[in-house]
Amino acid sequence: MELASAHLHKGQVPWGGLLLTASLLASWSPPTTAEVTTEAVPPQVAEDNNVLLLVHNLPLALGAFAWYKGNPVSTNAEIVQFVTGTNKTTTGPAHSGRETVYSNGSLLIQRVTVKDTGVYTIEMTDENFRRTEATVQFHVHPLLLKPNITSNNSNPVEGDDSVSLTCESYTDPDNITYLWSRNGESLSEGDRLKLSEGNRTLTLLNVTRNDTGPYVCETRNPVSVNRSDPFSLNIIYGPDTPIISPSDIYLHPGSNLNLSCHAASNPPAQYFWLINEKPHASSQELFIPNITTNNSGTYTCFVNNSVTGLSRTTVKNITVLEPVTQPSLQVTNTTVKELDSVTLTCLSNDIGANIQWLFNSQSLQLTERMTLSQNNSILRIDPIKREDAGEYQCEISNPVSVKRSNSIKLDIIWEVTSEISQSTNPQPPTTIWLLLTTLLTRWMTSHTLS
Ligand SMILES: *[C@@H]1O[C@H](CO)[C@@H](O)[C@H](O)[C@H]1NC(C)=O
Ligand SMILES: *[C@@H]1O[C@H](CO)[C@@H](O)[C@H](O)[C@H]1NC(C)=O
Ligand SMILES: *[C@@H]1O[C@H](CO)[C@@H](O)[C@H](O)[C@H]1NC(C)=O
Ligand SMILES: *[C@@H]1O[C@H](CO)[C@@H](O)[C@H](O)[C@H]1NC(C)=O
Ligand SMILES: *[C@@H]1O[C@H](CO)[C@@H](O)[C@H](O)[C@H]1NC(C)=O
Ligand SMILES: *[C@@H]1O[C@H](CO)[C@@H](O)[C@H](O)[C@H]1NC(C)=O
Ligand SMILES: *[C@@H]1O[C@H](CO)[C@@H](O)[C@H](O)[C@H]1NC(C)=O
Ligand SMILES: *[C@@H]1O[C@H](CO)[C@@H](O)[C@H](O)[C@H]1NC(C)=O
Ligand SMILES: *[C@@H]1O[C@H](CO)[C@@H](O)[C@H](O)[C@H]1NC(C)=O
Ligand SMILES: *[C@@H]1O[C@H](CO)[C@@H](O)[C@H](O)[C@H]1NC(C)=O
Ligand SMILES: *[C@@H]1O[C@H](CO)[C@@H](O)[C@H](O)[C@H]1NC(C)=O
Ligand SMILES: *[C@@H]1O[C@H](CO)[C@@H](O)[C@H](O)[C@H]1NC(C)=O
């Protein structure tokens, strides 16, 4: 097929080519220029700013052009008309005084308002009064004012109430997106957290004290961002079980009893102290100086939340104890023969106090040769061995004090010759038996001691 790909040379116009040329001439078109395009700069305009409606590739052979608000065009929506030959500008009924037209076709609109949002049409008329048009649009957005958070419940109760927080933006809600944050962390939907109305409303289901906040909502539109002031919920809760401090329950006479009670609660709890179940004080702290054993008893902290109407108590038993007196350690004879027995007696005035035994200042490791009796006050070692030689002490304690006795040094004596004579005088079966027993005892002793 020659025609489809033919490059037409001047003067060699085939019949199909003639038809094409005729139709091009019928619909007016500038001979060489590209298509007219338009552009709004910027397309999203902040209220009170300027927008420039640019026309690219405006035809050169133009008689006049006119700008209109809207499309299709109507006479009363004409903004301005421009006659190219004379550079004459004529304002139309839709001219607001803020529009300026340029000979290159562009239209500048200053200090735009939200009402300026929309489509604009440029109508171009050629020298033969043929018209073509092009449109352009832009959107004017208000600058967002500081939004406000409102709550539908100013004093929600923990575990009972649900709360809706709404971000009031005071500006046209179109084109606004909402972002919520709590303690600076952005929030998204969760088990107890729902977003609705395009994220304008945040609902907290079954609030806890941890939902207190502060909350901030941020509004955004294509031209601005604004942020609310922080908003905190006054969540009513508690009281929790009170905690009494310090935790000591034993004191000695002459010291001061100084107790403090604390229970998490909103509003803060009211505090009361009861001693042996009788009301004593309505305060958070309890102070009794120079106590005696008569101050032993049950101390109760009672807390109450006047709004929830709930109350809780914690009881502490305080015992005032005299410190123990120094015990004294006695033994019948500090020099003992090996394999004899010895009895050490710890004498104390403090009946029922705890008694510990010390050997060479360390806690005594009991072996099977040692027995304790009379609430640990008597230590009997039977038979005694040479490794039991050393310093003995007893120690008496109660929860408020510890006292050590005098120390007693036990000397163990044994006869060096007897062992040697036994081993140098062979009587086979007995000797072996004795030797085995000695070795076994030594082995056992060393293992118990280590
Ligand atoms: C038209 O003229 C205005 C004013 O001089 C200028 O700002 C704009 O860029 C021009 N438009 C084009 C498409 O060149
Ligand atoms: C129209 O304005 C253009 C640019 O300002 C200028 O070059 C031209 O001479 C003016 N034409 C008339 C008729 O004033
Ligand atoms: C937020 O809005 C307030 C008026 O409500 C305004 O004064 C402030 O400048 C705005 N902030 C921003 C970042 O736009
Ligand atoms: C925002 O809310 C607070 C109370 O929630 C109110 O006092 C204040 O007037 C509100 N601000 C505006 C601009 O309405
Ligand atoms: C609300 O939460 C509390 C614990 O915070 C729970 O005991 C209670 O059952 C919850 N109520 C509902 C309706 O989910
Ligand atoms: C607040 O809104 C939540 C969620 O819509 C609702 O469950 C609750 O009953 C409302 N509280 C009040 C006091 O209206
Ligand atoms: C702004 O909102 C209007 C109406 O809701 C919508 O038609 C338009 O597309 C939105 N524009 C932007 C930039 O979101
Ligand atoms: C609402 O917020 C979530 C994030 O928390 C976001 O994914 C979603 O697109 C937002 N919806 C609207 C309508 O802005
Ligand atoms: C609040 O948060 C703390 C720490 O994350 C947590 O131990 C406590 O259980 C929470 N309280 C409630 C009522 O959810
Ligand atoms: C404490 O009480 C005792 C008697 O109970 C008394 O002898 C002593 O003086 C008191 N000490 C002080 C500092 O009040
Ligand atoms: C405190 O003392 C009371 C009465 O003496 C007794 O019934 C209770 O069990 C004691 N509580 C504790 C924790 O020791
Ligand atoms: C203690 O025992 C040793 C050895 O059995 C003995 O020699 C000494 O006389 C005794 N001393 C007293 C005071 O009984």
Side-chain angles (χ1 to χ4, degrees):
M1 282 292 284
E2 212 195 349
L3 262 186
S5 60
H7 288 103
L8 302 174
H9 302 288
K10 273 187 184 145
Q12 296 184 320
V13 179
W15 63 271
L18 269 175
L19 268 185
L20 185 66
T21 315
S23 80
L24 274 174
L25 286 171
S27 76
W28 173 87
S29 175
T32 51
T33 55
E35 207 187 331
V36 175
T37 58
T38 57
E39 181 192 5
V41 180
Q44 308 287 338
V45 199
E47 204 170 25
D48 249 9
N49 281 26
N50 301 341
V51 61
L52 184 61
L53 306 181
L54 288 176
V55 180
H56 301 287
N57 308 320
L58 188 74
L60 293 171
L62 205 56
F65 61 83
W67 276 101
Y68 295 84
K69 174 93 195 273
N71 190 276
V73 301
S74 71
T75 331
N76 57 5
E78 188 186 59
I79 299 165
V80 69
Q81 217 183 75
F82 188 86
V83 179
T84 323
T86 60
N87 284 353
K88 190 169 185 289
T89 300
T90 315
T91 58
H95 194 275
S96 75
R98 295 176 289 118
E99 297 88 350
T100 311
V101 72
Y102 298 109
S103 57
N104 63 10
S106 298
L107 180 71
L108 172 73
I109 308 176
Q110 290 175 286
R111 300 183 310 280
V112 292
T113 68
V114 173
K115 284 184 184 157
D116 293 331
T117 294
V119 174
Y120 289 75
T121 306
I122 178 169
E123 188 186 63
M124 296 159 283
T125 311
D126 74 2
E127 284 141 338
N128 298 321
F129 301 101
R130 272 186 282 255
R131 292 172 177 183
T132 49
E133 56 180 49
T135 60
V136 63
Q137 60 176 308
F138 62 89
H139 204 113
V140 179
H141 301 275
L143 283 173
L144 294 173
L145 298 178
K146 186 199 277 275
N148 215 12
I149 296 178
T150 58
S151 156
N152 76 343
N153 187 343
S154 47
N155 301 308
V157 176
E158 181 178 67
D160 275 350
D161 289 339
S162 295
V163 180
S164 278
L165 298 179
T166 303
C167 187
E168 306 282 1
S169 65
Y170 307 112
T171 354
D172 185 32
D174 285 350
N175 309 106
I176 297 187
T177 55
Y178 297 88
L179 295 160
W180 288 90
S181 62
R182 171 166 65 199
N183 299 319
E185 276 182 41
S186 75
L187 294 177
S188 49
E189 288 214 309
D191 284 350
R192 293 191 302 104
L193 205 150
K194 302 290 171 211
L195 290 163
S196 53
E197 291 183 62
N199 295 353
R200 197 167 82 93
T201 299
L202 172 70
T203 303
L204 304 159
L205 300 172
N206 196 7
V207 291
T208 75
R209 65 194 68 176
N210 293 349
D211 294 328
T212 298
Y215 294 85
V216 168
C217 88
E218 185 180 286
T219 49
R220 287 172 178 266
N221 72 5
V223 301
S224 66
V225 175
N226 216 323
R227 222 170 257 120
S228 72
D229 285 332
F231 176 90
S232 292
L233 284 169
N234 181 32
I235 294 169
I236 306 299
Y237 61 86
D240 287 356
T241 303
I243 293 164
I244 299 175
S245 59
S247 55
D248 315 333
I249 53 170
Y250 294 103
L251 296 167
H252 46 76
S255 61
N256 298 332
L257 178 63
N258 198 352
L259 296 179
S260 176
C261 186
H262 178 79
S265 176
N266 184 36
Q270 298 161 291
Y271 291 86
F272 302 94
W273 283 99
L274 290 82
I275 301 177
N276 295 324
E277 284 148 33
K278 289 193 192 74
H280 181 83
S282 52
S283 59
Q284 195 171 355
E285 314 276 327
L286 176 69
F287 182 73
I288 304 175
N290 197 13
I291 51 171
T292 68
T293 49
N294 292 338
N295 293 112
S296 294
T298 61
Y299 287 74
T300 306
C301 174
F302 176 93
V303 292
N304 176 59
N305 179 325
S306 59
V307 174
T308 60
L310 300 174
S311 44
R312 291 278 169 86
T313 59
T314 293
V315 179
K316 197 182 191 74
N317 286 353
I318 301 272
T319 306
V320 183
L321 278 178
E322 294 283 355
V324 290
T325 52
Q326 196 191 15
S328 101
L329 184 58
Q330 294 187 346
V331 67
T332 41
N333 194 335
T334 58
T335 308
V336 199
K337 268 199 207 138
E338 190 169 36
L339 301 177
D340 274 3
S341 71
V342 70
T343 298
L344 295 148
T345 306
C346 184
L347 295 172
S348 157
N349 298 327
D350 300 285
I351 306 134
N354 180 37
I355 302 178
Q356 299 282 323
W357 288 87
L358 300 166
F359 176 58
N360 292 335
S361 303
Q362 305 283 308
S363 177
L364 173 70
Q365 304 292 306
L366 286 178
T367 70
E368 59 209 19
R369 296 178 289 101
M370 298 174 182
T371 40
L372 289 169
S373 58
Q374 309 240 348
N375 286 331
N376 293 359
S377 66
I378 295 172
L379 170 66
R380 184 174 160 80
I381 310 174
D382 183 16
I384 198 152
K385 290 286 179 74
R386 60 191 75 169
E387 63 263 26
D388 296 329
E391 303 264 355
Y392 287 80
Q393 263 178 304
C394 70
E395 185 180 87
I396 293 221
S397 62
N398 70 7
V400 300
S401 61
V402 180
K403 291 258 165 61
R404 277 189 189 181
S405 70
N406 54 308
S407 103
I408 281 180
K409 186 166 178 294
L410 273 192
D411 291 317
I412 318 290
I413 51 169
W414 67 90
E415 290 187 26
V416 185
T417 48
S418 66
E419 249 179 56
I420 297 163
S421 66
Q422 271 177 9
S423 57
T424 50
N425 187 10
Q427 270 186 353
T430 326
T431 312
I432 286 164
W433 179 242
L434 265 174
L435 217 75
L436 273 175
T437 319
T438 315
L439 284 172
L440 196 65
T441 315
R442 283 207 187 137
W443 182 85
M444 279 172 68
T445 314
S446 69
H447 276 250
T448 326
L449 279 171
S450 62

mmCIF file with all atom_site columns, all heavy atoms in Angstrom, residues 413-430:
data_model
loop_
_atom_site.group_PDB
_atom_site.id
_atom_site.type_symbol
_atom_site.label_atom_id
_atom_site.label_alt_id
_atom_site.label_comp_id
_atom_site.label_asym_id
_atom_site.label_entity_id
_atom_site.label_seq_id
_atom_site.pdbx_PDB_ins_code
_atom_site.Cartn_x
_atom_site.Cartn_y
_atom_site.Cartn_z
_atom_site.occupancy
_atom_site.B_iso_or_equiv
_atom_site.pdbx_formal_charge
_atom_site.auth_seq_id
_atom_site.auth_comp_id
_atom_site.auth_asym_id
_atom_site.auth_atom_id
_atom_site.pdbx_PDB_model_num
ATOM 1   N N   . ILE A 1 413 ? 41.977 -32.823 125.481 1.00 0.00 ? 413 ILE A N   1
ATOM 2   C CA  . ILE A 1 413 ? 43.266 -33.502 125.680 1.00 0.00 ? 413 ILE A CA  1
ATOM 3   C C   . ILE A 1 413 ? 43.115 -34.962 125.311 1.00 0.00 ? 413 ILE A C   1
ATOM 4   O O   . ILE A 1 413 ? 42.029 -35.544 125.427 1.00 0.00 ? 413 ILE A O   1
ATOM 5   C CB  . ILE A 1 413 ? 43.778 -33.345 127.146 1.00 0.00 ? 413 ILE A CB  1
ATOM 6   C CG1 . ILE A 1 413 ? 42.679 -33.742 128.145 1.00 0.00 ? 413 ILE A CG1 1
ATOM 7   C CG2 . ILE A 1 413 ? 44.254 -31.927 127.401 1.00 0.00 ? 413 ILE A CG2 1
ATOM 8   C CD1 . ILE A 1 413 ? 43.215 -33.855 129.561 1.00 0.00 ? 413 ILE A CD1 1
ATOM 9   N N   . TRP A 1 414 ? 44.186 -35.534 124.777 1.00 0.00 ? 414 TRP A N   1
ATOM 10  C CA  . TRP A 1 414 ? 44.182 -36.966 124.428 1.00 0.00 ? 414 TRP A CA  1
ATOM 11  C C   . TRP A 1 414 ? 45.561 -37.533 124.645 1.00 0.00 ? 414 TRP A C   1
ATOM 12  O O   . TRP A 1 414 ? 46.528 -36.782 124.718 1.00 0.00 ? 414 TRP A O   1
ATOM 13  C CB  . TRP A 1 414 ? 43.697 -37.182 123.000 1.00 0.00 ? 414 TRP A CB  1
ATOM 14  C CG  . TRP A 1 414 ? 44.619 -36.632 121.922 1.00 0.00 ? 414 TRP A CG  1
ATOM 15  C CD1 . TRP A 1 414 ? 45.635 -37.294 121.326 1.00 0.00 ? 414 TRP A CD1 1
ATOM 16  C CD2 . TRP A 1 414 ? 44.605 -35.322 121.371 1.00 0.00 ? 414 TRP A CD2 1
ATOM 17  N NE1 . TRP A 1 414 ? 46.262 -36.507 120.416 1.00 0.00 ? 414 TRP A NE1 1
ATOM 18  C CE2 . TRP A 1 414 ? 45.645 -35.277 120.419 1.00 0.00 ? 414 TRP A CE2 1
ATOM 19  C CE3 . TRP A 1 414 ? 43.807 -34.175 121.596 1.00 0.00 ? 414 TRP A CE3 1
ATOM 20  C CZ2 . TRP A 1 414 ? 45.908 -34.135 119.669 1.00 0.00 ? 414 TRP A CZ2 1
ATOM 21  C CZ3 . TRP A 1 414 ? 44.088 -33.067 120.834 1.00 0.00 ? 414 TRP A CZ3 1
ATOM 22  C CH2 . TRP A 1 414 ? 45.131 -33.029 119.879 1.00 0.00 ? 414 TRP A CH2 1
ATOM 23  N N   . GLU A 1 415 ? 45.622 -38.855 124.766 1.00 0.00 ? 415 GLU A N   1
ATOM 24  C CA  . GLU A 1 415 ? 46.910 -39.497 125.034 1.00 0.00 ? 415 GLU A CA  1
ATOM 25  C C   . GLU A 1 415 ? 47.516 -39.956 123.729 1.00 0.00 ? 415 GLU A C   1
ATOM 26  O O   . GLU A 1 415 ? 46.950 -40.770 123.016 1.00 0.00 ? 415 GLU A O   1
ATOM 27  C CB  . GLU A 1 415 ? 46.727 -40.688 125.976 1.00 0.00 ? 415 GLU A CB  1
ATOM 28  C CG  . GLU A 1 415 ? 46.355 -40.196 127.368 1.00 0.00 ? 415 GLU A CG  1
ATOM 29  C CD  . GLU A 1 415 ? 46.325 -41.314 128.379 1.00 0.00 ? 415 GLU A CD  1
ATOM 30  O OE1 . GLU A 1 415 ? 47.039 -42.332 128.184 1.00 0.00 ? 415 GLU A OE1 1
ATOM 31  O OE2 . GLU A 1 415 ? 45.554 -41.170 129.341 1.00 0.00 ? 415 GLU A OE2 1
ATOM 32  N N   . VAL A 1 416 ? 48.690 -39.372 123.426 1.00 0.00 ? 416 VAL A N   1
ATOM 33  C CA  . VAL A 1 416 ? 49.379 -39.648 122.155 1.00 0.00 ? 416 VAL A CA  1
ATOM 34  C C   . VAL A 1 416 ? 49.813 -41.114 122.094 1.00 0.00 ? 416 VAL A C   1
ATOM 35  O O   . VAL A 1 416 ? 49.680 -41.745 121.063 1.00 0.00 ? 416 VAL A O   1
ATOM 36  C CB  . VAL A 1 416 ? 50.595 -38.728 122.001 1.00 0.00 ? 416 VAL A CB  1
ATOM 37  C CG1 . VAL A 1 416 ? 51.250 -38.919 120.653 1.00 0.00 ? 416 VAL A CG1 1
ATOM 38  C CG2 . VAL A 1 416 ? 50.179 -37.262 122.219 1.00 0.00 ? 416 VAL A CG2 1
ATOM 39  N N   . THR A 1 417 ? 50.298 -41.684 123.233 1.00 0.00 ? 417 THR A N   1
ATOM 40  C CA  . THR A 1 417 ? 50.915 -43.023 123.257 1.00 0.00 ? 417 THR A CA  1
ATOM 41  C C   . THR A 1 417 ? 49.940 -44.138 122.935 1.00 0.00 ? 417 THR A C   1
ATOM 42  O O   . THR A 1 417 ? 50.299 -45.088 122.264 1.00 0.00 ? 417 THR A O   1
ATOM 43  C CB  . THR A 1 417 ? 51.535 -43.291 124.633 1.00 0.00 ? 417 THR A CB  1
ATOM 44  O OG1 . THR A 1 417 ? 50.551 -42.944 125.614 1.00 0.00 ? 417 THR A OG1 1
ATOM 45  C CG2 . THR A 1 417 ? 52.784 -42.457 124.817 1.00 0.00 ? 417 THR A CG2 1
ATOM 46  N N   . SER A 1 418 ? 48.714 -44.047 123.397 1.00 0.00 ? 418 SER A N   1
ATOM 47  C CA  . SER A 1 418 ? 47.773 -45.166 123.282 1.00 0.00 ? 418 SER A CA  1
ATOM 48  C C   . SER A 1 418 ? 47.572 -45.600 121.834 1.00 0.00 ? 418 SER A C   1
ATOM 49  O O   . SER A 1 418 ? 47.563 -46.798 121.530 1.00 0.00 ? 418 SER A O   1
ATOM 50  C CB  . SER A 1 418 ? 46.428 -44.809 123.910 1.00 0.00 ? 418 SER A CB  1
ATOM 51  O OG  . SER A 1 418 ? 45.830 -43.781 123.142 1.00 0.00 ? 418 SER A OG  1
ATOM 52  N N   . GLU A 1 419 ? 47.483 -44.691 120.942 1.00 0.00 ? 419 GLU A N   1
ATOM 53  C CA  . GLU A 1 419 ? 47.252 -45.043 119.543 1.00 0.00 ? 419 GLU A CA  1
ATOM 54  C C   . GLU A 1 419 ? 48.449 -45.767 118.951 1.00 0.00 ? 419 GLU A C   1
ATOM 55  O O   . GLU A 1 419 ? 48.294 -46.749 118.245 1.00 0.00 ? 419 GLU A O   1
ATOM 56  C CB  . GLU A 1 419 ? 46.993 -43.779 118.710 1.00 0.00 ? 419 GLU A CB  1
ATOM 57  C CG  . GLU A 1 419 ? 45.563 -43.701 118.239 1.00 0.00 ? 419 GLU A CG  1
ATOM 58  C CD  . GLU A 1 419 ? 45.302 -42.459 117.454 1.00 0.00 ? 419 GLU A CD  1
ATOM 59  O OE1 . GLU A 1 419 ? 46.011 -42.238 116.463 1.00 0.00 ? 419 GLU A OE1 1
ATOM 60  O OE2 . GLU A 1 419 ? 44.377 -41.709 117.848 1.00 0.00 ? 419 GLU A OE2 1
ATOM 61  N N   . ILE A 1 420 ? 49.637 -45.233 119.288 1.00 0.00 ? 420 ILE A N   1
ATOM 62  C CA  . ILE A 1 420 ? 50.871 -45.831 118.752 1.00 0.00 ? 420 ILE A CA  1
ATOM 63  C C   . ILE A 1 420 ? 51.022 -47.257 119.275 1.00 0.00 ? 420 ILE A C   1
ATOM 64  O O   . ILE A 1 420 ? 51.255 -48.183 118.514 1.00 0.00 ? 420 ILE A O   1
ATOM 65  C CB  . ILE A 1 420 ? 52.118 -44.980 119.119 1.00 0.00 ? 420 ILE A CB  1
ATOM 66  C CG1 . ILE A 1 420 ? 51.992 -43.591 118.466 1.00 0.00 ? 420 ILE A CG1 1
ATOM 67  C CG2 . ILE A 1 420 ? 53.405 -45.659 118.682 1.00 0.00 ? 420 ILE A CG2 1
ATOM 68  C CD1 . ILE A 1 420 ? 52.905 -42.533 119.060 1.00 0.00 ? 420 ILE A CD1 1
ATOM 69  N N   . SER A 1 421 ? 50.821 -47.434 120.599 1.00 0.00 ? 421 SER A N   1
ATOM 70  C CA  . SER A 1 421 ? 50.983 -48.773 121.181 1.00 0.00 ? 421 SER A CA  1
ATOM 71  C C   . SER A 1 421 ? 50.016 -49.770 120.555 1.00 0.00 ? 421 SER A C   1
ATOM 72  O O   . SER A 1 421 ? 50.374 -50.902 120.285 1.00 0.00 ? 421 SER A O   1
ATOM 73  C CB  . SER A 1 421 ? 50.800 -48.723 122.707 1.00 0.00 ? 421 SER A CB  1
ATOM 74  O OG  . SER A 1 421 ? 49.467 -48.378 122.992 1.00 0.00 ? 421 SER A OG  1
ATOM 75  N N   . GLN A 1 422 ? 48.801 -49.303 120.255 1.00 0.00 ? 422 GLN A N   1
ATOM 76  C CA  . GLN A 1 422 ? 47.827 -50.200 119.623 1.00 0.00 ? 422 GLN A CA  1
ATOM 77  C C   . GLN A 1 422 ? 48.307 -50.670 118.256 1.00 0.00 ? 422 GLN A C   1
ATOM 78  O O   . GLN A 1 422 ? 48.229 -51.833 117.924 1.00 0.00 ? 422 GLN A O   1
ATOM 79  C CB  . GLN A 1 422 ? 46.480 -49.484 119.465 1.00 0.00 ? 422 GLN A CB  1
ATOM 80  C CG  . GLN A 1 422 ? 45.598 -49.668 120.697 1.00 0.00 ? 422 GLN A CG  1
ATOM 81  C CD  . GLN A 1 422 ? 44.294 -48.911 120.583 1.00 0.00 ? 422 GLN A CD  1
ATOM 82  O OE1 . GLN A 1 422 ? 43.982 -48.387 119.531 1.00 0.00 ? 422 GLN A OE1 1
ATOM 83  N NE2 . GLN A 1 422 ? 43.569 -48.872 121.666 1.00 0.00 ? 422 GLN A NE2 1
ATOM 84  N N   . SER A 1 423 ? 48.837 -49.711 117.459 1.00 0.00 ? 423 SER A N   1
ATOM 85  C CA  . SER A 1 423 ? 49.210 -50.072 116.092 1.00 0.00 ? 423 SER A CA  1
ATOM 86  C C   . SER A 1 423 ? 50.540 -50.834 116.021 1.00 0.00 ? 423 SER A C   1
ATOM 87  O O   . SER A 1 423 ? 50.816 -51.482 115.036 1.00 0.00 ? 423 SER A O   1
ATOM 88  C CB  . SER A 1 423 ? 49.266 -48.803 115.218 1.00 0.00 ? 423 SER A CB  1
ATOM 89  O OG  . SER A 1 423 ? 50.183 -47.900 115.798 1.00 0.00 ? 423 SER A OG  1
ATOM 90  N N   . THR A 1 424 ? 51.377 -50.763 117.101 1.00 0.00 ? 424 THR A N   1
ATOM 91  C CA  . THR A 1 424 ? 52.656 -51.490 117.069 1.00 0.00 ? 424 THR A CA  1
ATOM 92  C C   . THR A 1 424 ? 52.560 -52.865 117.729 1.00 0.00 ? 424 THR A C   1
ATOM 93  O O   . THR A 1 424 ? 53.506 -53.604 117.802 1.00 0.00 ? 424 THR A O   1
ATOM 94  C CB  . THR A 1 424 ? 53.769 -50.675 117.769 1.00 0.00 ? 424 THR A CB  1
ATOM 95  O OG1 . THR A 1 424 ? 53.273 -50.262 119.034 1.00 0.00 ? 424 THR A OG1 1
ATOM 96  C CG2 . THR A 1 424 ? 54.188 -49.467 116.935 1.00 0.00 ? 424 THR A CG2 1
ATOM 97  N N   . ASN A 1 425 ? 51.419 -53.199 118.208 1.00 0.00 ? 425 ASN A N   1
ATOM 98  C CA  . ASN A 1 425 ? 51.209 -54.467 118.876 1.00 0.00 ? 425 ASN A CA  1
ATOM 99  C C   . ASN A 1 425 ? 50.199 -55.311 118.085 1.00 0.00 ? 425 ASN A C   1
ATOM 100 O O   . ASN A 1 425 ? 49.005 -55.261 118.326 1.00 0.00 ? 425 ASN A O   1
ATOM 101 C CB  . ASN A 1 425 ? 50.709 -54.169 120.311 1.00 0.00 ? 425 ASN A CB  1
ATOM 102 C CG  . ASN A 1 425 ? 50.617 -55.425 121.159 1.00 0.00 ? 425 ASN A CG  1
ATOM 103 O OD1 . ASN A 1 425 ? 51.106 -56.490 120.747 1.00 0.00 ? 425 ASN A OD1 1
ATOM 104 N ND2 . ASN A 1 425 ? 50.001 -55.307 122.304 1.00 0.00 ? 425 ASN A ND2 1
ATOM 105 N N   . PRO A 1 426 ? 50.742 -56.077 117.089 1.00 0.00 ? 426 PRO A N   1
ATOM 106 C CA  . PRO A 1 426 ? 49.809 -56.717 116.158 1.00 0.00 ? 426 PRO A CA  1
ATOM 107 C C   . PRO A 1 426 ? 49.022 -57.878 116.779 1.00 0.00 ? 426 PRO A C   1
ATOM 108 O O   . PRO A 1 426 ? 49.611 -58.804 117.325 1.00 0.00 ? 426 PRO A O   1
ATOM 109 C CB  . PRO A 1 426 ? 50.718 -57.182 115.019 1.00 0.00 ? 426 PRO A CB  1
ATOM 110 C CG  . PRO A 1 426 ? 52.088 -57.241 115.592 1.00 0.00 ? 426 PRO A CG  1
ATOM 111 C CD  . PRO A 1 426 ? 52.136 -56.469 116.874 1.00 0.00 ? 426 PRO A CD  1
ATOM 112 N N   . GLN A 1 427 ? 47.734 -57.792 116.681 1.00 0.00 ? 427 GLN A N   1
ATOM 113 C CA  . GLN A 1 427 ? 46.811 -58.883 117.017 1.00 0.00 ? 427 GLN A CA  1
ATOM 114 C C   . GLN A 1 427 ? 45.796 -58.904 115.878 1.00 0.00 ? 427 GLN A C   1
ATOM 115 O O   . GLN A 1 427 ? 44.716 -58.320 115.987 1.00 0.00 ? 427 GLN A O   1
ATOM 116 C CB  . GLN A 1 427 ? 46.116 -58.604 118.367 1.00 0.00 ? 427 GLN A CB  1
ATOM 117 C CG  . GLN A 1 427 ? 46.901 -59.186 119.542 1.00 0.00 ? 427 GLN A CG  1
ATOM 118 C CD  . GLN A 1 427 ? 46.158 -59.054 120.845 1.00 0.00 ? 427 GLN A CD  1
ATOM 119 O OE1 . GLN A 1 427 ? 45.123 -58.419 120.916 1.00 0.00 ? 427 GLN A OE1 1
ATOM 120 N NE2 . GLN A 1 427 ? 46.686 -59.669 121.893 1.00 0.00 ? 427 GLN A NE2 1
ATOM 121 N N   . PRO A 1 428 ? 46.149 -59.565 114.809 1.00 0.00 ? 428 PRO A N   1
ATOM 122 C CA  . PRO A 1 428 ? 45.543 -59.342 113.488 1.00 0.00 ? 428 PRO A CA  1
ATOM 123 C C   . PRO A 1 428 ? 44.046 -58.960 113.422 1.00 0.00 ? 428 PRO A C   1
ATOM 124 O O   . PRO A 1 428 ? 43.776 -57.812 113.066 1.00 0.00 ? 428 PRO A O   1
ATOM 125 C CB  . PRO A 1 428 ? 45.852 -60.636 112.742 1.00 0.00 ? 428 PRO A CB  1
ATOM 126 C CG  . PRO A 1 428 ? 47.121 -61.112 113.351 1.00 0.00 ? 428 PRO A CG  1
ATOM 127 C CD  . PRO A 1 428 ? 47.123 -60.651 114.793 1.00 0.00 ? 428 PRO A CD  1
ATOM 128 N N   . PRO A 1 429 ? 43.088 -59.810 113.799 1.00 0.00 ? 429 PRO A N   1
ATOM 129 C CA  . PRO A 1 429 ? 41.687 -59.454 113.507 1.00 0.00 ? 429 PRO A CA  1
ATOM 130 C C   . PRO A 1 429 ? 41.238 -58.148 114.205 1.00 0.00 ? 429 PRO A C   1
ATOM 131 O O   . PRO A 1 429 ? 40.687 -57.254 113.561 1.00 0.00 ? 429 PRO A O   1
ATOM 132 C CB  . PRO A 1 429 ? 40.887 -60.633 114.041 1.00 0.00 ? 429 PRO A CB  1
ATOM 133 C CG  . PRO A 1 429 ? 41.873 -61.696 114.378 1.00 0.00 ? 429 PRO A CG  1
ATOM 134 C CD  . PRO A 1 429 ? 43.196 -61.034 114.584 1.00 0.00 ? 429 PRO A CD  1
ATOM 135 N N   . THR A 1 430 ? 41.579 -58.017 115.497 1.00 0.00 ? 430 THR A N   1
ATOM 136 C CA  . THR A 1 430 ? 41.163 -56.856 116.285 1.00 0.00 ? 430 THR A CA  1
ATOM 137 C C   . THR A 1 430 ? 41.776 -55.568 115.730 1.00 0.00 ? 430 THR A C   1
ATOM 138 O O   . THR A 1 430 ? 41.101 -54.549 115.592 1.00 0.00 ? 430 THR A O   1
ATOM 139 C CB  . THR A 1 430 ? 41.600 -57.027 117.751 1.00 0.00 ? 430 THR A CB  1
ATOM 140 O OG1 . THR A 1 430 ? 41.530 -58.384 118.069 1.00 0.00 ? 430 THR A OG1 1
ATOM 141 C CG2 . THR A 1 430 ? 40.733 -56.185 118.677 1.00 0.00 ? 430 THR A CG2 1
#
